Amino acid sequence: MRPDRRVLPFLLLALASQAAPAPARAQTGNRFLPPVATLHRARSRDYHVRHIRLEFRIDPLQHSAAGVVTHTLAPLRDGLREIVFDAGDNLKILACAIDGRETPSLHKAGKLTLLLNLPLPKGEEHAVEIRYEMPGGSTRGGPNGSQGFRWIDLRPDSPGRRRHFWTQGETDGNHYWFPCYDAPNDKCTSETIVTVPEDWQVIGNGAEGPVTRDPKGHTRTFRWSMAKPASTYLISLVGGELDVKRGKWGSVPLLYAVPRGKGELIEGSFGHTPDMLTFFSKTFGIDYPWAKYAQCAVSDFPGGMENVSATTLGLRSLTDKRGDTRGIKFLTSHELAHQWFGDLVTCSEWGDIWLHESFATFGEMLYAEHWGGRERYDEERESSLHTYLDGAAVHPHALSTPVYPTDMEMFDASHSYSKGGLVLHMLRRELGDAELFQSLHRFLADHAYANVETSDLVRAIAEETGRNLAPFFDQWVFKPGHPIIQLSWRYDTGSGVTVTHVTQTQHFSEGVNPYSLPLTIGLVRPDSPEPVQRVQVMVNASDQEFRIPGPPPTAVLFDPDHDLLLDRTAPVWSDTERRAVLRCAPSVVDRLAAARQLAPVRSAIAPETAELFAQAAEHEAGQEVARFELSAIGESKANGARSVVRGLAEKAAPLVRAAAIGALTRLPRDDRDFAMIRRAAASDSEPYSVVEAAIRGVARWDLKGGLQALRHQLQAHSVDDVLGQAVVSALQAANSDVSAELLL
């Protein structure tokens, strides 16, 4: 599952470059400490469910449903006298039967207990049938509407809204809409047979079966069948007034579902799915393991959920081909990675949820590297680092722990997602790509369709590579906290060495003290054949000095690739160091920090700095660094950089083009440039970010000359009317009588 993260990584990155490290201090009010946190263990089981068959009939007008769920199960020990299922108090149990014989039952406090006349022997298979109703009267399902069954109704304030429903099982929400064993440590096959109004669609788990119609009842019945076992919290349904588009990845059917009328968003939002399936199948060494893959976008859903073979997503993340697809790529890659880590292998107990969420976060980082290069990978990691540090200041805890407050609190963005993703990056650097992905393949293959614990991962790495990484896991996974580092350097001309000083300042109570860190020191010499000379040292004490012989460096970068999970002193460089770092630093994080230090007040940057920024932006692969540099050029009205800015406005990636247009329109008006920007402002095909920037630009340069383009965009169609809003905003900012006609 991925929470709804509307703030994109580049925003956090921009803040990160100026952020000071959190002070080392004892934690107070930490909910992951007793007595709030308690000991949790995997749930004991009386039986193993082998198969679930659910017949479910929807009555949308009454907000109700009637179901018959049949569990094929076998006792795990002799003499079983009662069978207990999880069943929400909102359900009305009508009748229960075992092997066709009616059986008395007791439904109380979220449990349904079937009382057996005769004890059942171990291993003997039985069919347990439960007839029930899910009464109407509510549009909410489960706790706070976030788990269980959720109705989506029409609303006067949302004219494009369509009737539909969705379910959400993680962590234990599915028993609010059908009785089941609702814990992750049992897996079964399943089938769902769902009857809905005749103009509705239903998407469930597994392979699609025949759809039948009842003309008299004006209904349709959909059938979905899971031939491979999965935990019950991953069973899901999405149904309603939907647009559904189909495709294929090899022989695997692909389905994309959105509320009716939103079909135009499918290609822009999900067109990357086949590439993503190929990437993860190759990376993890196991082909996509399920019968089909569906992605269903629904209203009022918080983020995304990796229901087996049928991911559910929040509607707000969708875009068309002209929109910025970074956000939807992060979300969909996260949920798709879960089909291996979370669905194929599933933690036995929620204290090991990092085996799902950290790996899915790492998966989205890897896919960002695949589609956007190293800079996207670095930006995503830097975003995760600051998300983690913010959370660690409040409630530090181990990634894998049996001691926690509630199941849902293990799903905190700071640890199970962000810290875990960074730890897996460090594991990647520790093992190298070949050994890491071979080990992950071994882990997945050995435990496919089964439950796992963190120790299984450690064992898989040892068996595949011969390496005992227990110390790594002990330091980063089984204990809380992180190193807090102070760094300094000087050059000793007498001995001809660069002297570096590293101090660890974290409290022992916050985790390992001292940490063992393979730290890389980067000596920056811009005009040498090797602009950044890397020297590796082992930091394993609270205070250490390292002496590196050689000519004096212009600057020193500690951990120049930002591989380590550190809370470090924010560097304050001299002007000479900043220029060297901007020119040579391998990480986008340091280049952005250097740019920000060179232009703390953008309107006051010197002409030579504007020239430096123009040269850097022309070759900068990090979009956020280039955008910052272009913005600073625009604020300084550095006309000497016009040719570079114009070139980027015409040919760069969309977000950099938008920044270049913004910078260009801060310079003195030029007829050639105005014609180019006016064309972009009137475009029906350019990316929204480019058109929005052009709209602001023509309004700033020549509102009257650009009026026709603005009038066109007020009437044109765009997702969420982003271009119409951009026009209104630009007219308001222009504060001119010429705006009045269009505004009225």
Side-chain angles (χ1 to χ4, degrees):
M1 186 174 185
R2 191 178 193 270
D4 188 359
R5 186 174 63 179
R6 304 306 301 277
V7 180
L8 292 172
F10 70 83
L11 294 176
L12 289 172
L13 182 60
L15 294 173
S17 62
Q18 291 190 331
R25 65 182 190 277
Q27 303 294 332
T28 59
N30 185 357
R31 291 182 53 78
F32 282 81
L33 295 175
V36 178
T38 57
L39 184 64
H40 295 74
R41 296 296 186 191
R43 187 166 159 182
S44 295
R45 295 186 290 133
D46 295 326
Y47 52 83
H48 164 51
V49 178
R50 294 176 178 169
H51 185 74
I52 291 176
R53 183 178 191 272
L54 174 61
E55 298 178 70
F56 205 57
R57 189 176 189 89
I58 300 288
D59 185 344
L61 295 180
Q62 299 298 320
H63 280 158
S64 67
V68 180
V69 59
T70 303
H71 297 81
T72 302
L73 57 78
L76 294 174
R77 50 187 172 275
D78 285 325
L80 188 65
R81 299 303 302 257
E82 61 182 27
I83 299 175
V84 180
F85 295 103
D86 301 291
D89 292 335
N90 60 309
L91 301 181
K92 181 180 180 181
I93 305 301
L94 303 178
C96 300
I98 297 179
D99 300 327
R101 297 187 300 274
E102 191 168 336
T103 302
S105 63
L106 177 65
H107 183 208
K108 185 178 181 181
K111 299 292 182 182
L112 173 63
T113 303
L114 279 67
L115 307 172
L116 310 181
N117 293 325
L118 296 173
L120 302 181
K122 177 180 178 179
E124 186 175 274
E125 191 171 280
H126 297 273
V128 181
E129 180 185 278
I130 304 165
R131 294 181 176 273
Y132 70 99
E133 292 177 349
M134 188 179 70
S138 173
T139 60
R140 303 177 70 81
N144 301 319
S146 63
Q147 295 192 70
F149 190 100
R150 178 68 178 261
W151 297 104
I152 303 298
D153 290 328
L154 304 182
R155 269 200 336 227
D157 63 342
S158 183
R161 197 170 170 95
R162 293 291 182 266
R163 290 186 178 90
H164 57 286
F165 68 85
W166 47 262
T167 68
Q168 166 63 14
E170 194 175 51
T171 54
D172 61 349
N174 274 346
H175 72 274
Y176 290 96
W177 63 281
F178 72 97
C180 61
Y181 176 83
D182 207 356
N185 65 329
D186 193 20
K187 292 195 172 191
C188 64
T189 57
S190 62
E191 58 184 311
T192 50
I193 302 144
V194 187
T195 301
V196 294
E198 60 186 346
D199 63 337
W200 281 28
Q201 301 272 353
V202 175
I203 295 178
N205 312 105
E208 187 174 16
V211 178
T212 57
R213 298 175 182 272
D214 178 2
K216 292 183 179 180
H218 302 288
T219 62
R220 283 200 294 178
T221 299
F222 292 80
R223 292 168 175 82
W224 294 92
S225 178
M226 276 289 300
K228 298 291 187 180
S231 296
T232 53
Y233 78 89
L234 295 167
I235 294 174
S236 69
L237 292 175
V238 168
E241 299 172 347
L242 305 175
D243 285 338
V244 178
K245 181 178 178 180
R246 297 170 183 270
K248 277 207 167 184
W249 177 72
S251 61
V252 177
L254 304 178
L255 286 86
Y256 314 105
V258 297
R260 193 169 297 159
K262 299 285 187 181
E264 64 173 350
L265 304 180
I266 287 176
E267 183 60 30
S269 300
F270 303 121
H272 50 266
T273 301
D275 177 66
M276 205 175 276
L277 282 159
T278 299
F279 174 77
F280 283 131
S281 294
K282 289 181 177 178
T283 300
F284 300 147
I286 291 179
D287 281 346
Y288 176 75
W290 311 106
K292 68 100 175 40
Y293 189 51
Q295 292 171 97
C296 307
V298 295
S299 298
D300 301 347
F301 191 84
M305 176 61 205
E306 65 276 11
N307 298 309
V308 61
S309 80
T311 285
T312 308
L313 306 162
L315 187 63
R316 293 191 301 170
S317 302
L318 302 190
T319 186
D320 65 7
K321 290 182 178 180
R322 301 174 66 191
D324 182 358
T325 60
R326 291 179 301 170
I328 189 67
K329 284 178 180 175
F330 288 137
L331 176 61
T332 52
S333 61
H334 182 103
E335 302 309 335
L336 182 54
H338 269 311
Q339 299 296 320
W340 286 266
F341 292 95
D343 294 6
L344 182 62
V345 297
T346 308
C347 65
S348 297
E349 206 282 318
W350 299 115
D352 262 332
I353 195 58
W354 88 283
L355 292 173
H356 301 194
E357 299 303 346
S358 300
F359 278 87
T361 302
F362 185 52
E364 69 180 88
M365 293 176 182
L366 292 171
Y367 191 68
E369 183 179 44
H370 168 72
W371 64 261
R374 173 181 169 172
E375 281 71 24
R376 286 312 155 274
Y377 182 70
D378 289 352
E379 288 171 358
E380 183 73 352
R381 290 191 299 110
E382 187 69 6
S383 169
S384 289
L385 174 62
H386 288 273
T387 299
Y388 163 65
L389 292 176
D390 286 347
V394 180
H395 51 79
H397 62 86
L399 285 177
S400 174
T401 176
V403 180
Y404 54 88
T406 65
D407 295 346
M408 287 308 297
E409 286 182 88
M410 282 302 296
F411 289 79
D412 64 311
S414 60
H415 287 72
S416 295
Y417 294 75
S418 297
K419 181 182 182 179
L422 296 171
V423 168
L424 290 173
H425 167 76
M426 288 193 293
L427 187 62
R428 181 186 188 186
R429 293 293 181 253
E430 176 75 21
L431 292 173
D433 280 12
E435 286 194 347
L436 172 65
F437 295 121
Q438 288 165 8
S439 299
L440 296 187
H441 169 265
R442 178 73 173 263
F443 175 62
L444 291 168
D446 286 354
H447 303 285
Y449 309 106
N451 292 104
V452 290
E453 299 174 350
T454 299
S455 58
D456 296 316
L457 176 61
V458 179
R459 189 179 306 110
I461 295 171
E463 291 173 350
E464 187 63 32
T465 69
R467 299 182 61 175
N468 177 13
L469 289 188
F472 177 94
F473 278 79
D474 184 59
Q475 178 169 269
W476 295 108
V477 176
F478 295 122
K479 292 183 180 178
H482 56 273
I484 301 175
I485 304 292
Q486 292 182 354
L487 307 159
S488 62
W489 73 279
R490 61 183 175 84
Y491 188 73
D492 186 340
T493 53
S495 56
V497 298
T498 300
V499 182
T500 60
H501 201 99
V502 182
T503 305
Q504 298 191 45
T505 64
Q506 70 276 2
H507 288 296
F508 178 77
S509 62
E510 294 176 359
V512 181
N513 190 36
Y515 278 76
S516 179
L517 303 168
L519 177 66
T520 300
I521 298 174
L523 306 176
V524 180
R525 301 183 183 97
D527 297 320
S528 69
E530 186 182 9
V532 179
Q533 177 194 356
R534 289 173 168 83
V535 177
Q536 183 118 7
V537 299
M538 182 56 69
V539 175
N540 51 21
S542 59
D543 192 276
Q544 288 174 277
E545 184 177 274
F546 302 98
R547 301 173 67 84
I548 305 169
T554 305
V556 172
L557 296 171
F558 294 91
D559 188 27
D561 300 299
H562 287 250
D563 284 329
L564 299 175
L565 196 167
L566 300 174
D567 192 351
R568 69 183 80 193
T569 306
V572 179
W573 295 303
S574 68
D575 190 71
T576 301
E577 288 176 300
R578 293 165 190 156
R579 293 170 182 271
V581 171
L582 183 66
R583 180 177 166 188
C584 301
S587 172
V588 65
V589 179
D590 287 324
R591 297 199 299 273
L592 180 58
R596 294 182 69 91
Q597 290 187 27
L598 283 163
V601 181
R602 295 178 189 175
S603 60
I605 66 172
E608 59 268 24
T609 302
E611 182 180 352
L612 174 66
F613 277 10
Q615 294 171 354
E618 193 171 17
H619 304 287
E620 176 59 64
Q623 290 190 30
E624 303 319 314
V625 183
R627 291 174 70 190
F628 180 87
E629 291 163 342
L630 288 165
S631 178
I633 290 170
E635 291 290 342
S636 67
K637 297 179 172 52
N639 199 41
R642 181 184 290 273
S643 62
V644 170
V645 177
R646 176 189 293 139
L648 292 172
E650 292 175 334
K651 298 180 181 178
L655 292 177
V656 177
R657 285 185 63 197
I661 289 172
L664 206 55
T665 57
R666 294 287 183 184
L667 306 181
R669 187 186 186 283
D670 176 273
D671 288 344
R672 171 187 167 183
D673 292 337
F674 181 73
M676 182 253 301
I677 293 172
R678 183 171 55 190
R679 285 194 303 271
S683 174
D684 291 326
S685 59
E686 290 275 20
Y688 291 139
S689 57
V690 171
V691 179
E692 289 178 82
I695 287 169
R696 291 190 293 270
V698 297
R700 180 183 300 130
W701 252 355
D702 183 355
L703 179 59
K704 188 175 182 180
L707 211 57
Q708 185 175 348
L710 302 190
R711 181 180 288 110
H712 171 74
Q713 295 299 359
L714 275 177
Q715 298 168 348
H717 171 74
S718 58
V719 174
D720 296 330
D721 198 25
V722 294
L723 298 184
Q725 294 181 57
V727 171
V728 172
S729 177
L731 292 172
Q732 183 180 17
N735 194 25
S736 165
D737 291 342
V738 179
S739 305
E741 176 192 350
L742 289 185
L743 286 173
L744 287 173

